[in-house]
Amino acid sequence: MSLAEVLRAHPWLDALPDELLQRLHVEELLPGHPATEALGPSVVAYSTSVPPNPDRVSLCSILRPAPIGAERLSRLVAAEQRWPGIALVEYAPPPLAEEQATR
């Protein structure tokens, strides 16, 4: 897994500072997973079999999940059940990504 693959799948992450991106634990991420493609680019798939790496920063430690309703949560849970071994998180784009989108 490479940072370039992650950024292609989730271009909004490019708004994060370069120093964080370079330290990102990309091995735990599954960019281009069918579940994320069906649910949209704000949903990130994590492999549940990849252990934490103390030398890397996990995306979930720097971003907060997006507030979602019961229906959306149900869709995420159903996708996780369809593809065992993944955990799905929907993120709100980082503030810089929102600012760039309105320019």
Side-chain angles (χ1 to χ4, degrees):
M1 187 55 44
S2 73
L3 179 58
E5 291 172 298
V6 171
L7 293 176
R8 269 194 300 279
H10 307 291
W12 54 272
L13 289 175
D14 198 32
L16 294 173
D18 285 340
E19 61 272 7
L20 281 177
L21 288 174
Q22 296 307 314
R23 294 180 46 229
L24 194 61
H25 183 21
V26 296
E27 293 82 15
E28 70 182 351
L29 304 175
L30 301 169
H33 191 280
T36 60
E37 289 181 7
L39 294 166
S42 62
V43 177
V44 175
Y46 290 83
S47 171
T48 59
S49 64
V50 175
N53 182 339
D55 297 328
R56 295 289 179 182
V57 176
S58 182
L59 187 59
C60 64
S61 72
I62 56 176
L63 294 177
R64 294 180 185 253
I68 59 174
E71 184 177 325
R72 183 66 170 175
L73 179 59
S74 177
R75 289 186 65 202
L76 294 175
V77 170
E80 288 176 340
Q81 291 171 344
R82 181 175 178 196
W83 287 287
I86 68 167
L88 299 172
V89 178
E90 183 156 0
Y91 290 105
L96 291 176
E98 292 171 0
E99 290 171 17
Q100 290 172 353
T102 60
R103 291 183 189 169

